Amino acid sequence: MPADTLPLIYDALLAAFGHRHWWPAETAFETMIGAILTQNVSWTNAARAIRNLEDAGMLDPHLLAGAGADEIARRIVPSRFYNQKAERVREFSRVYVAEFAADPAVMAAVETGTLRERLLAVRGLGKETVDSILLYACGKPVFVVDAYTRRIFSRYGLLPPDASYDRIQRLFMENLPPDAALFNDYHAQVVFLGNTVCKKSPLCDRCPIRAVNGQVRCAGVPPHFFL
């Protein structure tokens, strides 16, 4: 793959959609909790659950660390799988308080690989959730992978459809500079494209990256779009 393919795609997305200004949160801790609550559900639902916690005065690491799982669960019903997520929120909050003094700067000061392994050890936190916390809350240059990333870039022919999380992540981290701001907006652009255009039934005629600078083309686009 040409070294400039991924930057070209990002530049085309940025030109089409503008900067996405993601993650929408007022504090780093809100971002962390949002990363947990948005597992397997739309951001709209996760945001409703966060607002419920905030309205109840519970969007605080010390309060969540000491709360009962049932007390958390009834606040986060919109996020689906709320009983499981309540346990994850509580456990993460306990770790955040006990090991990082509930301070995002303390967490961010930990070496990236070490911090990633520690958070992956928290029950229920997978790679996408942990990497979202690392990137969006801690400012670490770690590329976040999701289902949209796999769909879009497999259609480009840059990945097999069944590529693993680690393989997809390497594609980006080995071909882009290690820049947290770039990784932040690139992932947000991919999510927006996957939500609005590159759906399971893609709207190829609306896609701003079906062909980029005459150099790269989406392999999934029907040939007549290039006539």
Side-chain angles (χ1 to χ4, degrees):
M1 181 188 72
D4 62 350
T5 297
L6 291 181
L8 284 174
I9 292 172
Y10 172 70
D11 289 344
L13 290 170
L14 181 62
F17 300 136
H19 197 284
R20 300 309 304 160
H21 302 289
W22 196 258
W23 190 289
E26 294 183 6
T27 67
F29 183 67
E30 181 179 334
T31 300
M32 297 171 194
I33 297 303
I36 297 171
L37 295 181
T38 199
Q39 293 174 345
N40 302 307
V41 75
S42 71
W43 173 249
T44 300
N45 283 45
R48 287 175 57 202
I50 290 171
R51 293 288 78 78
N52 288 349
L53 288 173
E54 187 173 47
D55 291 346
M58 291 184 65
L59 193 57
D60 174 276
H62 295 90
L63 292 178
L64 289 174
D70 57 341
E71 185 180 3
I72 299 171
R74 67 172 177 266
R75 311 290 184 185
I76 63 170
V77 170
S79 70
R80 299 179 62 203
F81 309 108
Y82 46 87
N83 289 320
Q84 291 178 344
K85 289 181 179 180
E87 294 282 1
R88 294 168 188 174
V89 164
R90 183 173 64 172
E91 180 60 24
F92 171 79
S93 297
R94 288 174 172 174
V95 170
Y96 186 54
V97 169
E99 299 182 26
F100 304 106
D103 186 337
V106 172
M107 177 179 277
V110 179
E111 188 274 327
T112 301
T114 301
L115 180 57
R116 189 174 193 261
E117 288 304 310
R118 177 63 191 96
L119 296 182
L120 285 172
V122 177
R123 188 162 55 113
L125 300 194
K127 293 176 180 178
E128 182 181 344
T129 301
V130 166
D131 288 344
S132 294
I133 292 171
L134 294 176
L135 176 63
Y136 292 111
C138 299
K140 301 286 193 181
V142 177
F143 198 89
V144 178
V145 172
D146 60 14
Y148 296 123
T149 320
R150 178 179 289 103
R151 177 196 299 164
I152 292 166
F153 289 88
S154 63
R155 285 175 173 170
Y156 251 97
L158 299 179
L159 293 163
D162 60 349
S164 68
Y165 186 101
D166 293 342
R167 178 171 178 178
I168 299 171
Q169 189 176 64
R170 284 197 304 271
L171 172 71
F172 289 87
M173 296 187 68
E174 292 176 359
N175 290 282
L176 293 171
D179 182 336
L182 171 62
F183 288 178
N184 178 318
D185 193 55
Y186 205 141
H187 177 244
Q189 297 286 351
V190 167
V191 171
F192 187 74
L193 182 71
N195 261 320
T196 60
V197 177
C198 198
K199 305 178 181 183
K200 291 183 179 179
S201 297
L203 305 173
C204 296
D205 59 322
R206 304 181 190 177
C207 184
I209 60 168
R210 62 180 183 270
V212 179
N213 288 3
Q215 297 182 48
V216 291
R217 291 183 174 186
C218 176
V221 176
H224 70 268
F225 282 109
F226 300 118
L227 296 179

